[in-house]
Amino acid sequence: MENDVKVAEKVEEADRLLPPQSLPSNSDEEEPESESEAEAAFESRDKIVIVDFESAGDPAAVPPFSWRKLWLFTGPGFLMSIAFLDPGNLEGDLQAGAIAGYSLLWLLMWATAMGLLIQMLSARVGVATGRHLAELCRDEYPTWARYLLWSMAELALIGADIQEVIGSAIAIQILSRGVLPLWAGVVITASDCLANGFFANSFLFLFLENYGVRKLEAVFAVLIATMGLSFAWMFGETKPSGKELMIGILLPRLSSKTIRQAVGVVGCVIMPHNVFLHSALVQSRQIDPKRKSRVQEALNYYLIESSVALFISFMINLFVTTVFAKGFYGTEKANNIGLVNAGHYLQEKFGGGLLPILYIWGIGLLAAGQSSTITGTYAGQFIMGGFLNLRLKKWMRAVITRSCAIVPTMIVAIVFNTSEASLDVLNEWLNVLQSVQIPFALLPLLTLVSKEEVMGDFKIGPILQRIAWTVAALVMIINGYLLLDFFVSEVNGFMFGVTVCVWTTAYVAFIVYLISHSNFIPSPWSSSSSIELPKRVTVSNS
């Protein structure tokens, strides 16, 4: 018996150190054996090995909780949480606070909870299959649908990049005391992002290459801490009402005057590129997807660390919302506040102190913008590499993906950088762009996570499936309202109206196709258009 335990321990150790096996691909192109790792989200040498600290027990059972193991799994959730804190979200927070006061804090809390559900489904796909969402979409959908999904994901990434670059540019203008105009900040930020893509020896990427993903996660921890301290400082300086804050969280309130802000709060939480990103980030840990107990253990730890990360992001968003609720709710300035002038309005309202609130806002905004652009770099690599099955070196893939996103970002941002009003119009269009793309990330995710052929024993059950589809439908309906409201107010002219109608018809048709492909709603399209994936076989630990 003792010898059997020792043998089991050696087998377990060998399996832990070997790279996880990927699912077979149905791609038309044959993959050379020597290049198999080029497709992986992380190379084997970059992955963090999960050490078993406890004594050997039943190898088929999930190991007991360990704080040291939780520390090893901590990281991907915090990188994922950056999308909940990007400049676009901060603008939604400040506008919700200024126009709706404390009344939408309950919605912010539940929207964050919905975001956690979606992101954990993304993590589930990545851990259980050993592949990320874009790779699985490549095998799941026919070529025309695959390229369309890739195009939509790239558009969503470009839209997010533009908001992040402009947010960083505003922060640079604030911190330079206006010496650098907004267009200069746009060029500096975008050029820096492009340089990170073009030069593998840039500081951050060299740091990552030489010392591993753990150092990148540490950089993000510093940026999140910077945001947290900055906005908590603002919260402490302005002293929002604690009573109103608790009522806002516990008592749901919604009026016709705040419906647009409510839609913005929910719409900002689900970022399409972030759904793809999280399924890749979880693969930075060495987990064998064929070992059921290890997969379940990883999912348990990822749930804990993602919950903590999103709780921190919720608190940061809450700080921003309540600061602007305290300062501007019910004032004439409430409807005019945006990301560009928010810092100056804060300075006029609350003044200086030990450290002027204008510069505190600028520091937090810069941390949000910089962290978001870096995560955009990684999301772009995973999205393009997965959908197109690129066989390129890491630095070359970074060049291509960053060029696809940052070059349009620089052009659009500089063209619109003529006034605060034009930037507000640009931001409205970018919010619409993000809303348009949400179904093309959520529907493939729900399709794949519900398939036994893909997920094996980790296919979600009927109850969770209904909850997930309900959340997805709610998010899409809310964003559909935002689109309808926007186009009703903005569409002028016969030709423009016809173009929007034609585009909307094609858009809805593709969504119907994706829903029918999921088999959640039976349809004759499903049997004819689906590309069968090989069924996963779950291997026991025993």
Side-chain angles (χ1 to χ4, degrees):
M1 182 69 180
E2 184 177 339
N3 289 336
D4 291 340
V5 171
K6 290 181 178 178
V7 169
E9 289 177 349
K10 290 180 181 179
V11 171
E12 180 179 335
E13 180 70 7
D15 287 342
R16 178 174 59 78
L17 294 175
L18 287 172
Q21 301 298 312
S22 298
L23 288 172
S25 171
N26 280 350
S27 173
D28 293 334
E29 300 177 11
E30 290 294 323
E31 299 179 4
E33 188 69 22
S34 61
E35 295 180 355
S36 61
E37 199 173 53
E39 186 184 2
F42 293 89
E43 295 179 3
S44 295
R45 67 172 181 270
D46 294 331
K47 292 187 176 183
I48 296 170
V49 177
I50 305 300
V51 180
D52 287 320
F53 298 103
E54 298 80 13
S55 58
D58 182 2
V62 177
F65 176 81
S66 165
W67 286 104
R68 286 183 289 180
K69 231 179 219 187
L70 176 60
W71 173 248
L72 292 177
F73 277 102
T74 297
F78 283 88
L79 269 71
M80 170 271 295
S81 72
I82 293 294
F84 291 69
L85 299 168
D86 69 0
N89 275 282
L90 297 183
E91 183 161 35
D93 293 337
L94 66 89
Q95 289 176 341
I99 296 172
Y102 300 88
S103 66
L104 296 181
L105 293 179
W106 66 275
L107 188 59
L108 175 63
M109 179 180 70
W110 284 106
T112 305
M114 288 193 297
L116 175 63
L117 172 62
I118 297 299
Q119 294 301 148
M120 285 313 301
L121 292 179
S122 175
R124 190 183 189 91
V125 167
V127 174
T129 66
R131 306 175 73 197
H132 58 81
L133 184 57
E135 291 176 316
L136 293 169
C137 286
R138 187 184 71 232
D139 290 339
E140 174 69 17
Y141 294 98
T143 302
W144 69 270
R146 182 178 75 210
Y147 279 108
L148 201 50
L149 286 171
W150 168 66
S151 301
M152 294 299 182
E154 287 291 346
L155 282 174
L157 186 58
I158 290 171
D161 268 332
I162 294 173
Q163 289 182 314
E164 291 151 8
V165 167
I166 290 176
S168 294
I170 293 169
I172 290 172
Q173 183 185 44
I174 291 172
L175 297 175
S176 67
R177 298 188 177 185
V179 173
L180 292 174
L182 205 57
W183 67 265
V186 167
V187 173
I188 291 170
T189 306
S191 299
D192 176 63
C193 296
L194 193 58
N196 283 342
F198 272 103
F199 300 108
N201 62 347
S202 66
F203 173 74
L204 184 57
F205 281 80
L206 180 61
F207 200 55
L208 172 62
E209 288 287 335
N210 289 342
Y211 297 101
V213 72
R214 206 64 170 155
K215 300 303 183 293
L216 178 70
E217 292 169 353
V219 170
F220 278 99
V222 171
L223 292 171
I224 293 172
T226 301
M227 283 185 272
L229 290 173
S230 299
F231 298 133
W233 186 306
M234 288 171 50
F235 182 85
E237 286 287 313
T238 57
K239 297 179 175 61
S241 169
K243 178 182 177 181
E244 289 293 329
L245 187 154
M246 292 306 299
I247 292 174
I249 290 176
L250 300 176
L251 182 62
R253 291 177 290 172
L254 189 62
S255 69
S256 58
K257 295 180 180 179
T258 61
I259 187 68
R260 191 163 189 176
Q261 283 66 45
V263 169
V265 167
V266 177
C268 287
V269 167
I270 308 297
M271 302 291 285
H273 70 275
N274 206 40
V275 176
F276 289 97
L277 177 64
H278 199 198
S279 65
L281 291 175
V282 294
Q283 294 175 46
S284 60
R285 273 58 180 174
Q286 192 87 350
I287 302 163
D288 185 353
K290 292 185 178 180
R291 302 183 65 184
K292 184 176 179 180
S293 64
R294 298 305 174 186
V295 172
Q296 187 58 59
E297 178 189 37
L299 291 174
N300 294 343
Y301 284 117
Y302 282 136
L303 175 61
I304 295 171
E305 70 111 14
S306 295
S307 299
V308 172
L310 289 190
F311 175 76
I312 293 172
S313 74
F314 167 70
M315 292 303 299
I316 292 174
N317 286 315
L318 181 143
F319 289 152
V320 175
T321 303
T322 53
V323 165
F324 282 87
K326 170 65 182 295
F328 305 103
Y329 177 57
T331 67
E332 294 180 357
K333 295 179 179 179
N335 290 311
N336 300 320
I337 294 180
L339 209 58
V340 178
N341 56 23
H344 297 288
Y345 279 2
L346 284 171
Q347 187 70 12
E348 291 175 8
K349 180 70 177 181
F350 299 107
L354 180 62
L355 184 63
I357 196 168
L358 172 65
Y359 299 119
I360 300 173
W361 169 254
I363 291 169
L365 184 57
L366 183 62
Q370 290 299 306
S371 58
S372 300
T373 52
I374 298 170
T375 54
T377 299
Y378 281 88
Q381 292 182 52
F382 297 136
I383 288 170
M384 180 173 283
F387 275 112
L388 303 186
N389 196 20
L390 292 182
R391 297 301 182 187
L392 299 173
K393 294 182 178 179
K394 190 178 293 185
W395 69 268
M396 180 62 71
R397 189 183 299 181
V399 169
I400 296 173
T401 55
R402 280 293 80 192
S403 298
C404 286
I406 291 298
V407 172
T409 295
M410 291 181 67
I411 295 171
V412 172
I414 292 174
V415 167
F416 275 82
N417 180 33
T418 56
S419 66
E420 291 182 9
S422 64
L423 285 174
D424 288 339
V425 170
L426 172 62
N427 190 62
E428 288 185 8
W429 278 99
L430 292 175
N431 287 336
V432 169
L433 179 63
Q434 295 286 345
S435 300
V436 166
Q437 311 307 325
I438 286 175
F440 307 125
L442 290 187
L443 294 177
L445 172 65
L446 297 182
T447 297
L448 291 164
V449 81
S450 304
K451 276 196 167 188
E452 186 176 359
E453 296 87 348
V454 178
M455 300 294 294
D457 290 340
F458 291 94
K459 164 194 170 183
I460 60 174
I463 295 177
L464 183 56
Q465 191 174 358
R466 289 188 181 93
I467 293 173
W469 276 96
T470 301
V471 169
L474 181 62
V475 170
M476 287 188 286
I477 290 170
I478 288 173
N479 282 278
Y481 173 86
L482 176 63
L483 293 175
L484 180 63
D485 178 66
F486 179 79
F487 283 124
V488 166
S489 61
E490 295 292 330
V491 172
N492 296 308
F494 176 75
M495 289 305 298
F496 189 32
V498 170
T499 302
V500 169
C501 288
V502 171
W503 179 87
T504 302
T505 302
Y507 174 79
V508 172
F510 190 40
I511 291 177
V512 170
Y513 165 77
L514 292 175
I515 294 173
S516 67
H517 186 93
S518 70
N519 291 328
F520 184 71
I521 301 176
S523 166
W525 290 8
S526 303
S527 59
S528 62
S529 58
S530 176
I531 295 178
E532 289 294 327
L533 286 172
K535 184 174 181 178
R536 288 194 67 244
V537 178
T538 302
V539 180
S540 169
N541 283 1
S542 56

